[in-house]
Amino acid sequence: MFDAVDTNASFAKMEEVVLAYWEHEQIFAQSLEQRRGGQPYVFYDGPPFATGLPHYGHLLAGTIKDVFPRYQTMRGRYVERTFGWDCHGLPIEALAQDKLGLAGAPAIRDCGVDVFNEQCRSMVLRYVKEWQQTVNRMGRWVDFEHGYKTMDSTFMESIWWVFKQLWEQGRIYRAHRIMPYSWKLNTPLSNFEANSNYQDVQDPAVTVRMKILDRDFPGCAGLTTYVLIWTTTPWTLPANLAACVGPDIRYCVVRDGDSNDAYIVAKERLSAYYKHESEYTVLHECAGAELVGCHYEPIFPYFAGHANAFCILSDGYVTTTDGTGIVHQAPAYGEDDYRVCRAANIELVDPLDDDANFLPVVADFAGVNCKEADKAIIRMLKQHGKLVQQSTIVHSYPFCERTDTPLIYRAIDAWYVKVEDLHERLIKNNAQTRWMPDFVGEKRFANWLAEAKDWNISRNRFWGSCIPVWINVEDPADTICVGSIAELEALSGQKVSDLHKHFIDCIEIRRDGKLYRRTPEVLDCWFESGSMPYAQHHYPFANREKVEGAFPADFIAEGLDQTRGWFYTLMLISTMLFDKPAFKNVVVNGLVLAEDGRKMSKRLKNYPDPRTVIDSYGADALRLCLLASPAVRAEDLRFSEVAVREVMRTVLIPLWNAHCFFVTYARVDGWVPPAGQAAPPAAPENVLDSWVLSRLSATVQDVRSALDNYDLQRGATRFTSFLDDLTNWYIRRSRRRFWKSDNDTDKGDAYATLHYTLVTLCQLAAPFTPFITETIYRNLRTDAMPASVHLCDYPEVQTAYLDTALNERMARTMSAVSLGRFLRTQASQKIRQPLASAVLVSAKAAVRADLEQMASVVAEELNVKAVLVQADEESLVSLSAKPNLKRLGPKLGPKMKLAMPAIAALSSADIASLRQGESLALTLADGTALTLSEDDVLIQRTEKEGMCVANEGDITVALDTRLTAELIQEGNAREVVSKLQNLRKELHFEVTDRIHICYSAPVALSRAIEAESAYICAETLALSLTAGDCADMHAVDINEVPARFHLRKA
RNA sequence: GGGCGCGUAGCUCAGUUGGUUAGAGCGCGUCUCUGAUAAGGACGAAGUCCCUGGUUCGAGUCCAGGCGCGCCCA
């Protein structure tokens, strides 16, 4: 016997019960154990930082990461799922710095790298418990216990192995690069990090003049000539080493009316400096190329005499969109500057310390922070007559994400991985990966791979995997790369237990009388996450076979923002190590935005707490809401609590109530499924049973194909649309079959069909909504079936049940019913009022045959005494023809425009002959002869005026709305039954309770009730129906006639 | 500045190889059904399919250019 169920169950509470059951019975472990030996389905989990709580983006990705492993497990695959944690990097360092009150790298060194790193270690896992709770509450099955951490020694040793592989391939090199630099954190940042916090700021914009030393331009005799440069970073002027012009840009030498000096400015920029042409005189005009080689007097004296410096260079990057068209070059502080100066053999100078304060060499501003020095520098320029113009500019400028201080660009010593020779291999390997949606892989990612730049992998930080390179203190070119702990122990003669910086930096290597110390940088943590396929299993030091057998992964899933993150580093490292892609299938999810379309923000509080949402609607509702959204196709999703509620109302509640309905009547009748697997009747006689089984099979086919193609949205919507057909057609149409008190075959078939359908639907939906399906399945299962729905095999497509003709027949029936309902509304005849007849008309024999078979369904649904099916539609509708554009368009081309009116003008006789298969000759306005056949036109029907007729496509329905006294009496009886049923419900009677009814009504109505008393009693399970007065009578309206009823249990 | 994506009803979104009158849900209004349902059904109001141009007999759909938004990069 099934357990009684509560229609008003709280899904959130139900889910808690399921979680306890899974935990207690170790269902996840069982689901794995059961598939041990099955073909593995390999899933890699991207490691999150545990420095914050999980948000909707994590819940979305986490749900996607749960559906496919569950699905594949049910398909028989062995799917291990281990969680991972990203432990290193700036997020955690920033937290530790706050905690210890340390401002930057020097402060960290002062307090001790060991203290700092141990602080990091102690904080890394601070939110692990919360993560675990949330992930678990969402119903995601993943192994936390054996999860990997990027700070584990085993993980870090594998990182060294990976590094050494690249080293031996000659891919690791050291270079200068211009990078965004945070002086607060004393570290260069990746461009990725630098781009995440642009702010609009006001900066000075100064135009400075530099005296030309060794060139006389025509017409400048007796004048001092200056080249004008423009910059928004005055602090870079002390490090100025050159000026750059565009080779093809036109420049003018003008006599400045104010100063009577000669200035060199781009011709196009003159108007920016002079309001009127009268303010200057053009002395000479030339191309930028002619200016190259001029020397000028350094603005500041600090680097006077620097080799090859203080001359005019040229390069194509110079534009005339702002400034003077001449760009000042400080090679330490700009990528283009660096490149241009390097080509001119000018060594950079970088007079800033780690905090970006000026070094003593810049005597006037020594110790001053560069940005703060701007004002003093401008003042000094003014004093020395070098400032031509001063203004401010508001522009978007990158700021440090962690500290909100401005970033500067400066030259940094860095370690690089050579990538630029790998483009073809990367693209080839990416072509072996299936992306969902495809454009992310085929366009976005492929384009990125095609232009991938060498990868800066070093970070001048503390808490991370160390770059395992030891450098000869005497000769920086002499290096040793260490690839394992054993290697380091052998080289150093010391025992090594931990690979973090504070354990490793003190280890020195002596070889052949030379001393080697480690390079101080740590690795970019993307290097670690990209190495996770190997490092999570301590490859190749352990688990060689396991890793090699489980590579590449069958499936990964992350957000669109990982295109250049994890997706890239995985693909890059696997290509470099094994020349293979790291994953075969990847689902990319979009961003989850707040309801207002903006990013979710804790400060703005523009989104509901996930826990509140789960507690109100349940994790299933949240999961399905996310899974059925465009967010699973890499599109943005505006998340709204209302949408979650909607999913609960329209999917979970109907599913739950279908279950309640079934269980309620099965308990009344004591129906139990036969032992063994759930099974439908062998040969269902009722067309509803065959139909719902056919629909179910089609749905199984659809959902399987959707999931096999990683299309979650399609999968989710297919099973929900089936649910709609199940509840609002199959169950509604079948209700009476369950109420009937005699246990005949039809009733048994109904129970067996619905039981099988619900069980199968639960199995089908289990990967999407694991809780409610588990609850329902557990109540419906037989002893022979697995204890949990998640231990079941995924439903197979039952081709024997598939009947497309039947599906079409039922679709036609629904269409006829829908038309009939419309007519009732038009005629203001509610469904409870029986009518004499409905006429279903179609000229197509196949349609008529279908409708005839289903006539009883239509009659019942429309509450008519008789349903007639006939062929003659012309008494009800008038026919007209339209061209079938799909057929005629390609045939006629431009003549289509002439054919349209000719076809519209066809008479009903013409149409009739076409429909009898005859062809029809037309002459178009331009004399073209055209022969039409039936397929060339579409026949349209218009309801004739004044009749109760409705048409849709091939089907026309007419309703006889005339009422007889008999029909009215029946209508009243049905109204009475309806009111009585409502009263039963209000009085909380059980569906099986027998009752006695006492009523009082006006004479006419009383007579009707008396006449229909047998029917009324049968419907309401009444043992008696007597007229008279008694206490506690309920007043009701029966078609606007007042009446009173009293009900009591028998 | 570049790459990619998105732009359809008040809101969230469907819309097949170009084809006839552009759909659904939510919300709103008027009805209705119901002994599983917090549900369902009917009708109604609500559209410059972002704009411009092109290809075509025919464009929400294809092409080009632009505008707006997002992600990634520079």
Side-chain angles (χ1 to χ4, degrees):
Chain A
M1 187 76 113
F2 306 111
D3 291 338
V5 284
D6 180 3
T7 36
N8 294 316
S10 148
F11 291 118
K13 279 185 193 149
M14 188 194 303
E15 291 175 356
E16 305 274 2
V17 172
V18 171
L19 283 171
Y21 163 73
W22 287 347
E23 171 70 26
H24 188 257
E25 300 293 326
Q26 292 291 294
I27 302 298
F28 174 35
Q30 278 194 48
S31 80
L32 273 168
E33 197 48 46
Q34 180 173 297
R35 302 303 187 192
R36 193 175 290 282
Q39 190 195 353
Y41 178 85
V42 181
F43 165 70
Y44 294 160
D45 200 358
F49 288 114
T51 48
L53 292 172
H55 53 67
Y56 285 99
H58 296 118
L59 301 189
L60 169 61
T63 304
I64 296 170
K65 292 176 189 184
D66 190 51
V67 175
F68 291 103
R70 281 185 187 273
Y71 171 64
Q72 293 294 345
T73 301
M74 293 177 80
R75 292 290 303 272
R77 308 284 292 270
Y78 180 67
V79 193
E80 284 190 331
R81 287 153 262 180
T82 41
F83 207 85
W85 298 103
D86 208 342
C87 305
H88 291 143
L90 278 181
I92 183 67
E93 287 201 18
L95 284 179
Q97 261 182 266
D98 287 351
K99 176 83 177 185
L100 296 173
L102 303 172
I108 292 168
R109 287 191 196 96
D110 290 349
C111 113
V113 173
D114 52 346
V115 174
F116 179 75
N117 272 0
E118 291 307 325
Q119 179 67 42
C120 289
R121 198 199 301 268
S122 75
M123 294 174 85
V124 157
L125 301 176
R126 64 193 293 190
Y127 289 119
V128 162
K129 196 171 255 176
E130 286 83 350
W131 271 79
Q132 218 161 326
Q133 275 169 1
T134 306
V135 168
N136 185 47
R137 184 60 188 84
M138 280 297 285
R140 181 171 173 207
W141 277 355
V142 61
D143 181 355
F144 279 100
E145 205 180 321
H146 302 96
Y148 65 91
K149 299 182 200 72
T150 59
M151 66 180 182
D152 291 340
S153 288
T154 51
F155 196 100
M156 293 172 75
E157 188 180 27
S158 291
I159 294 297
W160 280 14
W161 174 81
V162 172
F163 186 94
K164 187 156 186 184
Q165 299 305 111
L166 307 188
W167 178 273
E168 286 175 352
Q169 288 179 19
R171 298 205 162 272
I172 307 286
Y173 69 95
R174 200 169 163 76
H176 248 151
R177 285 291 166 97
I178 305 294
M179 303 189 61
Y181 180 86
S182 166
W183 70 63
K184 196 72 177 277
L185 297 173
N186 304 109
T187 185
L189 303 178
S190 63
N191 280 312
F192 175 78
E193 289 162 310
N195 278 335
S196 47
N197 186 14
Y198 268 86
Q199 297 181 15
D200 280 340
V201 287
Q202 198 175 49
D203 270 327
V206 296
T207 304
V208 175
R209 61 185 203 174
M210 308 194 294
K211 189 193 284 179
I212 297 288
L213 297 175
D214 55 357
R215 183 82 67 93
D216 288 323
F217 292 96
C220 299
L223 301 178
T224 313
T225 307
Y226 295 88
V227 62
L228 300 194
I229 53 110
W230 178 85
T231 181
T232 57
T233 51
W235 64 266
T236 60
L237 292 171
N240 168 278
L241 294 178
C244 190
V245 296
D248 301 322
I249 295 173
R250 302 296 296 176
Y251 291 88
C252 286
V253 184
V254 302
R255 185 162 59 83
D256 177 59
D258 250 13
S259 61
N260 211 28
D261 291 320
Y263 288 166
I264 304 173
V265 180
K267 188 178 180 186
E268 274 187 53
R269 299 303 302 167
L270 281 170
S271 59
Y273 283 89
Y274 297 104
K275 276 182 189 154
H276 299 291
E277 292 186 7
S278 59
E279 292 169 351
Y280 63 91
T281 317
V282 177
L283 303 173
H284 177 64
E285 184 182 325
C286 64
E290 288 179 43
L291 300 171
V292 172
C294 288
H295 285 81
Y296 62 85
E297 184 184 83
I299 310 169
F300 292 99
Y302 318 123
F303 298 103
H306 194 78
N308 305 323
F310 309 113
C311 63
I312 294 180
L313 309 173
S314 82
D315 191 87
Y317 90 91
V318 177
T319 67
T320 53
T321 48
D322 44 27
T324 61
I326 303 152
V327 185
H328 117 82
Q329 305 287 294
Y333 305 125
E335 204 174 328
D336 289 312
D337 309 38
Y338 178 81
R339 179 175 52 79
V340 171
C341 288
R342 194 184 157 103
N345 269 318
I346 302 171
E347 270 293 308
L348 62 80
V349 295
D350 181 7
L352 295 178
D353 69 11
D354 286 353
D355 296 325
N357 298 332
F358 277 105
L359 293 168
V361 65
V362 178
D364 301 290
F365 314 109
V368 183
N369 172 277
C370 64
K371 280 274 180 185
E372 281 161 19
D374 274 348
K375 275 187 183 160
I377 289 169
I378 294 168
R379 205 178 309 126
M380 184 170 283
L381 290 170
K382 205 182 257 173
Q383 278 166 11
H384 291 82
K386 292 180 175 172
L387 187 70
V388 173
Q389 201 184 73
Q390 177 187 0
S391 65
T392 57
I393 185 174
V394 176
H395 61 165
S396 173
Y397 193 85
F399 276 67
C400 176
E401 197 182 8
R402 315 263 160 227
T403 64
D404 259 353
T405 52
L407 297 174
I408 59 173
Y409 285 87
R410 72 186 299 194
I412 302 290
D413 260 345
W415 292 92
Y416 280 82
V417 177
K418 194 169 151 198
V419 172
E420 285 163 14
D421 61 329
L422 287 172
H423 295 166
E424 277 180 27
R425 280 163 63 191
L426 287 167
I427 288 167
K428 182 200 72 180
N429 287 335
N430 183 46
Q432 298 166 40
T433 290
R434 174 191 357 215
W435 289 75
M436 181 69 203
D438 54 12
F439 68 81
V440 178
E442 286 167 16
K443 305 276 190 167
R444 198 180 157 100
F445 194 59
N447 290 351
W448 169 254
L449 294 179
E451 287 173 25
K453 300 280 185 291
D454 286 0
W455 176 18
N456 169 218
I457 49 164
S458 58
R459 295 291 177 268
N460 299 38
R461 296 296 303 181
F462 306 93
W463 177 241
S465 267
C466 294
I467 291 187
V469 177
W470 271 254
I471 301 173
N472 183 341
V473 294
E474 306 287 333
D475 173 12
D478 177 14
T479 52
I480 302 172
C481 177
V482 177
S484 68
I485 292 175
E487 217 178 316
L488 180 58
E489 287 178 342
L491 284 163
S492 68
Q494 292 185 38
K495 181 84 191 140
V496 178
S497 57
D498 187 303
L499 295 183
H500 284 95
K501 187 174 170 69
H502 54 302
F503 289 89
I504 298 298
D505 278 1
C506 54
I507 296 178
E508 295 175 340
I509 295 175
R510 282 173 203 280
R511 194 170 69 178
D512 305 333
K514 289 174 284 188
L515 174 65
Y516 297 78
R517 289 209 183 96
R518 197 185 72 82
T519 190
E521 299 89 344
V522 296
L523 278 166
D524 180 3
C525 55
W526 288 112
F527 194 96
E528 299 177 287
S529 47
S531 303
M532 82 43 94
Y534 333 103
Q536 67 169 337
H537 297 301
H538 196 203
Y539 183 85
F541 308 102
N543 301 310
R544 275 196 96 108
E545 280 173 24
K546 175 173 182 149
V547 170
E548 283 161 19
F551 184 85
D554 287 292
F555 168 67
I556 64 170
E558 297 292 338
L560 187 60
D561 51 344
Q562 295 297 321
T563 316
R564 271 71 166 169
W566 197 51
F567 296 148
Y568 174 58
T569 55
L570 273 180
M571 187 68 83
L572 179 60
I573 292 174
S574 68
T575 298
M576 292 189 294
L577 294 183
F578 302 113
D579 200 15
K580 278 187 189 173
F583 43 94
K584 295 182 200 160
N585 298 286
V586 52
V587 174
V588 184
N589 64 268
L591 252 74
V592 184
L593 303 173
E595 203 167 359
D596 57 12
R598 292 191 287 181
K599 281 191 177 176
M600 288 189 173
S601 144
K602 274 181 200 162
R603 270 176 243 169
L604 291 173
K605 287 188 180 163
N606 57 354
Y607 66 96
D609 186 332
R611 281 171 299 192
T612 321
V613 172
I614 294 171
D615 287 342
S616 319
Y617 312 107
D620 276 343
L622 179 53
R623 285 172 67 111
L624 196 55
C625 175
L626 294 171
L627 291 172
S629 80
V632 296
R633 288 197 326 255
E635 283 178 39
D636 290 348
L637 171 70
R638 288 193 183 195
F639 178 81
S640 136
E641 194 173 343
V642 176
V644 182
R645 187 166 157 259
E646 199 54 33
V647 167
M648 183 192 70
R649 283 174 21 153
T650 59
V651 181
L652 301 183
I653 288 175
L655 175 59
W656 182 247
N657 284 316
H659 167 234
C660 290
F661 172 84
F662 172 79
V663 168
T664 303
Y665 289 97
R667 283 172 61 86
V668 167
D669 283 328
W671 187 88
V672 287
Q677 302 297 314
E685 281 173 25
N686 192 304
V687 69
L688 283 165
D689 293 342
S690 323
W691 170 75
V692 81
L693 293 171
S694 173
R695 272 285 283 129
L696 178 66
S697 291
T699 305
V700 169
Q701 198 167 39
D702 281 348
V703 174
R704 285 175 73 114
S705 129
L707 289 182
D708 287 342
N709 288 296
Y710 293 88
D711 188 342
L712 284 167
Q713 202 182 22
R714 206 176 96 222
T717 47
R718 289 307 154 96
F719 90 76
T720 54
S721 82
F722 171 75
L723 180 66
D724 189 60
D725 274 354
L726 176 69
T727 58
N728 290 320
W729 191 254
Y730 177 78
I731 293 184
R732 199 164 54 77
R733 288 294 342 125
S734 297
R735 269 190 303 229
R736 291 199 154 260
R737 303 170 63 200
F738 293 91
W739 298 340
K740 283 183 297 188
S741 52
D742 43 343
N743 273 306
D744 62 7
T745 325
D746 182 59
K747 186 175 201 168
D749 281 2
Y751 276 121
T753 302
L754 184 52
H755 179 255
Y756 169 80
T757 301
L758 285 172
V759 167
T760 307
L761 182 58
C762 282
Q763 292 164 338
L764 192 66
F768 298 88
T769 52
F771 294 104
I772 191 171
T773 52
E774 180 78 306
T775 309
I776 296 174
Y777 171 85
R778 301 243 318 129
N779 197 21
L780 299 185
R781 63 180 275 275
T782 64
D783 290 341
M785 294 165 69
S788 160
V789 72
H790 305 289
L791 298 175
C792 293
D793 289 345
Y794 208 67
E796 298 286 340
V797 182
Q798 301 295 336
T799 42
Y801 302 150
L802 266 178
D803 184 346
T804 46
L806 173 57
N807 289 354
E808 195 180 349
R809 194 181 313 147
M810 195 59 90
R812 284 178 172 145
T813 308
M814 289 171 166
S815 171
V817 166
S818 167
L819 288 169
R821 286 214 197 101
F822 168 67
L823 291 176
R824 274 190 167 270
T825 312
Q826 296 295 298
S828 306
Q829 289 294 349
K830 52 185 181 181
I831 302 271
R832 264 202 295 275
Q833 175 59 59
L835 295 177
S837 66
V839 186
L840 312 183
V841 187
S842 181
K844 285 200 176 164
V847 175
R848 286 201 304 278
D850 280 354
L851 293 175
E852 258 157 23
Q853 280 191 56
M854 306 300 269
S856 62
V857 173
V858 176
E860 210 173 308
E861 194 65 20
L862 290 181
N863 192 17
V864 293
K865 296 287 172 194
V867 167
L868 311 168
V869 178
Q870 66 179 55
D872 169 31
E873 54 186 7
E874 283 173 74
S875 57
L876 301 174
V877 291
S878 48
L879 302 180
S880 60
K882 289 182 77 172
N884 183 348
L885 293 175
K886 229 169 186 168
R887 254 179 85 93
L888 285 180
K891 221 191 306 187
L892 292 179
K895 294 188 194 300
M896 196 65 234
K897 279 194 169 134
L898 296 171
M900 274 160 91
I903 291 171
L906 291 179
S907 68
S908 35
D910 292 335
I911 295 169
S913 66
L914 272 177
R915 292 177 66 186
Q916 276 154 27
E918 291 166 25
S919 61
L920 194 66
L922 282 185
T923 310
L924 301 184
D926 68 343
T928 311
L930 171 63
T931 309
L932 288 179
S933 68
E934 186 181 2
D935 294 340
D936 292 329
V937 298
L938 298 173
I939 293 168
Q940 295 212 295
R941 297 162 182 82
T942 315
E943 297 91 350
K944 289 193 171 164
E945 288 290 321
M947 302 190 70
C948 197
V949 173
N951 164 267
E952 193 181 284
D954 293 329
I955 301 173
T956 302
V957 176
L959 211 55
D960 182 353
T961 55
R962 290 166 301 182
L963 293 178
T964 60
E966 202 175 326
L967 288 172
I968 291 171
Q969 177 172 306
E970 252 184 73
N972 281 335
R974 288 191 60 139
E975 185 71 19
V976 167
V977 168
S978 164
K979 298 293 186 206
L980 288 173
Q981 303 289 35
N982 282 342
L983 279 177
R984 284 185 62 116
K985 209 171 171 184
E986 271 172 44
L987 296 168
H988 302 296
F989 290 1
E990 295 297 319
V991 291
T992 46
D993 286 339
R994 307 289 146 153
I995 57 169
H996 293 287
I997 302 171
C998 174
Y999 71 95
S1000 148
V1003 183
L1005 182 58
S1006 283
R1007 235 174 256 149
I1009 292 173
E1010 214 170 302
E1012 299 280 344
S1013 78
Y1015 164 74
I1016 294 172
C1017 289
E1019 290 293 310
T1020 60
L1021 301 185
L1023 299 177
S1024 70
L1025 177 62
T1026 45
D1029 270 319
C1030 58
D1032 296 332
M1033 295 192 86
H1034 299 267
V1036 291
D1037 261 13
I1038 302 299
N1039 292 330
E1040 288 162 12
V1041 176
R1044 291 181 303 146
F1045 292 90
H1046 172 82
L1047 275 59
R1048 73 181 161 84
K1049 286 192 203 177

